[in-house]
Amino acid sequence: MPSQPSADVAAEPPVIPLRLDGEPLQTAEDVARYLGVEVSAMLLILYKAPDHERYRHFEIPKRSGGMRRISAPHGLLREMQDKLHVDFKQLYEAHPRAHGFIEKRSIATNAGDHIGKRWVLNVDLVDFFPTINFGRVRGLFMKPPFEMAPAAATVCAQIVTYRNGLPQGAPTSPVLSNFIAATLDRRLLRLARQSKLAYSRYADDITFSTNLAQFPPAIAIREQIPGGGFKVVAGDALEQAITASGFAINGNKVRIQGHGVQQSVTGLVVNARINVERERIRRIRAMLHAWEKFGLDAAAAEHFAKYRTSRRRVRRAHGAAFRNIVYGQLSFVRMIRGADDPVFLKLCSKVLDLDPNPSKFIRQMVFGADDFDIFISHAREDKALIGRPIHEACERYGLKAFLDEEHIGWGESFTKKINTALGAARTVVAIVSSNSVDKEWPILEINTALALEVSGDKRVVPVMVGKPDLSKLPLIRGKNWLVWDDDPERIARELKNLIKPPPAGTGETAKMAPTAPNQQPQSPPPATTPPAGPWDAAPSGPRPVTEPAPPRSWLAQLFRNK
């Protein structure tokens, strides 16, 4: 049994956020001591340092158009804000109708209360973060749960505000906005219950919904516009509740949506279920079409020229950034529609066709693929005596190896599973025997993997069985290979050292040196007999003119040839 602590040994007191020796912060010195910084350095960065030593500024595009200015802290100021951010999150008790910047809540949970409603009302607040000024933050810090003395509250408010408001880009701003907006949430929830409405808030985006025949006029009304038409404006009760909470309504962003049109909440469609907007899917397809038609870099240049106003950002745009945006959009679709959604999977398959080195995220998503260390390519006749023993030995050595019989279940598409696993694995173990060189499918697998190795996207380790005819495998000539000697344990050890080499200084070294990605295959002498020895290479010679060019996509190549 574990020993019990002695009764005369005092237990350490629990750590309470924003307390020093168990007491609320009182002075600037207390704040500096709590944050672990010199008080002189803290005061210098807050009151004397120039702006560029505290914040860097840039712009990002808004979803609704225009640009949003971001002020991101750096240096000592960022370190202090990071520390405070952790404490603020521990102290914040989330309101049940607040969904922004809260763990396990998102735009999806925010939209969940408004599915299938007759009416949905969206209201935006003006300058949400900047409206939360220094005085409001200082007052917050002097109340529970912070209970700071005025001097400490002043310094902490100075740390987290910029130009008399919460800066967009500071780690502390989101959670502090929820603290300040707690009064707003209480007022609006009370108002919603009185009017038989559902209410939720995501940052500055407020939503009400109902199945009533008419929307309550205390919340929103339609006003006739001179010259014809109508506009939706906030009702008196809603206006008063928001103003009393220290915020203001953006009159240009008040809209009500009936069930006969597409209803959206924080960018998600809620008519029948939570879904992404059609425009997002069309935009992803357009990006993939541009990637396919013009190439990655040209598609990136066109995209950033359209969606970035800064010339400097356009000049610096490159294919990798565009690729990340595509992957980010796909991640969003997956979060909302699910990993098994056919639209999502079709988009992922298109990316696999375009990207020669797809991310782990894409590889795992398409057809439910696993991520493998090794793909074992073999002929059916070699499975029992060679493929399966190598697979079992690899598993014993901690290598995740794909073998068709182990990972393709009843009713699953053989072609899709093979294609996806081959793309997922970074190392292909090619069992080269008299059986495999006479079969179309093993030859296709091996040649595809060898071609991708030339471009640096795969590593191929041939396991030579006997003395097969290599005339159908021009890319394998000149490579290093392992010779099969009925010892799968040795093969697994060699692969272990190659894929997961031992740490430096252990005295172990890898016995195999992988072929360099750009090494050119070479012709063997007239005889096709493999050289003797457990790990050797064929003699060099002129490069065969029949070498196929690497396919643009392993997935497309395999589908075309299957």
Side-chain angles (χ1 to χ4, degrees):
M1 294 180 57
S3 60
Q4 300 295 326
S6 174
D8 58 352
V9 177
E12 292 187 5
V15 177
I16 304 176
L18 293 171
R19 294 292 191 272
L20 197 62
D21 300 327
E23 298 295 327
L25 304 180
Q26 300 292 321
T27 65
E29 287 76 12
D30 285 351
V31 175
R33 182 182 163 198
Y34 179 80
L35 295 176
V37 300
E38 294 290 336
V39 65
S40 58
M42 180 184 72
L43 297 178
L44 177 64
I45 199 68
L46 293 181
Y47 298 104
K48 295 290 185 67
D51 185 79
H52 70 271
E53 291 186 8
R54 299 188 297 144
Y55 287 90
R56 60 184 182 90
H57 309 283
F58 55 93
E59 292 182 334
I60 60 174
K62 295 181 180 179
R63 186 171 61 89
S64 57
M67 303 299 291
R68 187 185 308 277
R69 181 177 173 84
I70 301 298
S71 299
H74 61 92
L76 178 61
L77 183 62
R78 177 60 186 250
E79 294 175 10
M80 293 190 292
Q81 289 189 5
D82 284 340
K83 166 65 175 173
L84 291 174
H85 172 239
V86 174
D87 294 335
F88 293 161
K89 286 178 62 178
Q90 293 184 51
L91 293 173
Y92 176 62
E93 295 183 6
H95 189 277
R97 294 297 181 266
H99 294 267
F101 324 120
I102 299 172
E103 188 176 355
K104 296 183 180 179
R105 301 188 193 181
S106 65
I107 60 173
T109 61
N110 180 64
D113 290 334
H114 309 288
I115 300 172
K117 297 299 180 69
R118 177 174 290 184
W119 300 104
V120 174
L121 174 72
N122 299 116
V123 177
D124 276 17
L125 303 179
V126 176
D127 296 331
F128 182 60
F129 280 1
T131 298
I132 303 173
N133 59 32
F134 172 85
R136 298 177 74 178
V137 176
R138 181 177 181 270
L140 171 71
F141 288 157
M142 289 189 290
K143 299 175 184 178
F146 304 97
E147 299 179 328
M148 298 181 192
T154 299
V155 172
C156 283
Q158 194 71 40
I159 292 173
V160 299
T161 59
Y162 175 66
R163 294 183 177 176
N164 199 30
L166 292 181
Q168 297 191 58
T172 48
S173 294
V175 64
L176 286 175
S177 72
N178 279 333
F179 269 111
I180 295 292
T183 301
L184 174 68
D185 289 327
R186 289 193 293 270
R187 286 193 171 110
L188 295 187
L189 181 57
R190 187 183 310 118
L191 184 61
R193 286 172 173 169
Q194 293 169 355
S195 304
K196 298 181 180 179
L197 304 175
Y199 159 73
S200 69
R201 180 183 64 83
Y202 189 95
D204 60 348
D205 198 325
I206 294 169
T207 305
F208 295 95
S209 64
T210 183
N211 280 323
L212 297 174
Q214 299 292 329
F215 210 88
I219 307 299
I221 57 175
R222 295 177 67 189
E223 287 187 348
Q224 189 166 7
I225 301 173
F230 294 88
K231 71 174 182 178
V232 179
V233 298
D236 291 341
L238 178 59
E239 184 92 44
Q240 291 171 7
I242 291 176
T243 302
S245 303
F247 296 97
I249 295 174
N250 185 343
N252 296 323
K253 293 187 176 182
V254 179
R255 60 194 180 102
I256 192 167
Q257 308 155 90
H259 60 84
V261 300
Q262 179 175 287
Q263 298 171 322
S264 63
V265 176
T266 47
L268 299 177
V269 179
V270 293
N271 290 72
R273 63 184 179 94
I274 297 177
N275 201 354
V276 297
E277 294 177 322
R278 289 187 293 268
E279 176 58 32
R280 185 182 293 271
I281 299 297
R282 284 195 290 264
R283 188 163 59 247
I284 297 173
R285 286 172 175 158
M287 295 173 74
L288 295 178
H289 175 74
W291 186 348
E292 179 179 34
K293 185 174 182 179
F294 305 111
L296 185 59
D297 291 334
E302 179 187 13
H303 174 84
F304 286 109
K306 182 177 181 180
Y307 294 103
R308 298 288 190 272
T309 58
S310 168
R311 293 178 179 271
R312 179 171 175 267
R313 291 183 68 85
V314 171
R315 285 197 302 268
R316 294 181 61 187
H318 51 81
F322 179 81
R323 177 179 179 269
N324 290 339
I325 291 174
V326 170
Y327 280 5
Q329 293 287 340
L330 289 174
S331 297
F332 182 83
V333 174
R334 176 200 175 196
M335 178 185 73
I336 302 303
R337 296 183 65 115
D340 58 349
D341 177 72
V343 173
F344 168 71
L345 290 175
K346 188 173 182 180
L347 293 171
C348 287
S349 295
K350 185 67 174 178
V351 173
L352 281 174
D353 195 35
L354 295 171
D355 193 345
N357 189 26
S359 72
K360 181 178 179 180
F361 160 72
I362 294 294
R363 300 196 312 267
Q364 289 182 326
M365 283 305 99
V366 176
F367 314 123
D370 292 316
D371 204 38
F372 298 99
D373 296 316
I374 294 170
F375 178 96
I376 301 176
S377 174
H378 61 87
R380 179 172 56 86
E381 294 83 354
D382 295 327
K383 180 187 298 184
L385 296 179
I386 304 174
R388 192 179 300 131
I390 291 177
H391 174 268
E392 294 172 352
C394 286
E395 294 290 322
R396 288 193 292 273
Y397 277 83
L399 299 174
K400 192 172 184 181
F402 178 90
L403 186 68
D404 49 17
E405 69 175 14
E406 296 290 333
H407 297 96
I408 301 180
W410 176 259
E412 291 186 297
S413 168
F414 178 85
T415 303
K416 290 180 179 179
K417 275 288 188 177
I418 289 290
N419 292 344
T420 308
L422 181 57
R426 285 293 181 251
T427 299
V428 176
V429 173
I431 299 175
V432 183
S433 68
S434 57
N435 295 315
S436 63
V437 297
D438 288 336
K439 299 292 189 300
E440 180 181 356
W441 183 253
I443 290 293
L444 177 58
E445 284 180 350
I446 296 171
N447 272 331
T448 301
L450 285 166
L452 287 171
E453 184 181 49
V454 173
S455 60
D457 297 323
K458 287 280 181 290
R459 176 195 286 120
V460 179
V461 179
V463 175
M464 201 65 61
V465 182
K467 300 178 180 181
D469 179 6
L470 302 182
S471 59
K472 295 181 181 179
L473 294 171
L475 290 177
I476 212 169
R477 297 171 176 176
K479 280 189 60 64
N480 293 334
W481 54 54
L482 289 170
V483 173
W484 174 251
D485 58 358
D486 295 320
D487 186 0
E489 296 291 326
R490 181 182 65 83
I491 301 292
R493 285 195 301 271
E494 299 281 10
L495 294 171
K496 175 78 170 181
N497 285 339
L498 176 64
I499 297 171
K500 299 178 179 179
T506 61
E508 299 182 32
T509 57
K511 297 180 182 180
M512 292 166 39
T515 305
N518 296 320
Q519 177 181 328
Q520 304 299 340
Q522 296 172 343
S523 297
T528 58
T529 304
W535 183 241
D536 210 338
S540 61
R543 181 178 180 178
V545 297
T546 57
E547 176 190 325
R552 181 173 59 86
S553 165
W554 58 267
L555 183 69
Q557 176 77 0
L558 287 178
F559 271 129
R560 282 195 296 269
N561 287 277
K562 177 59 179 171

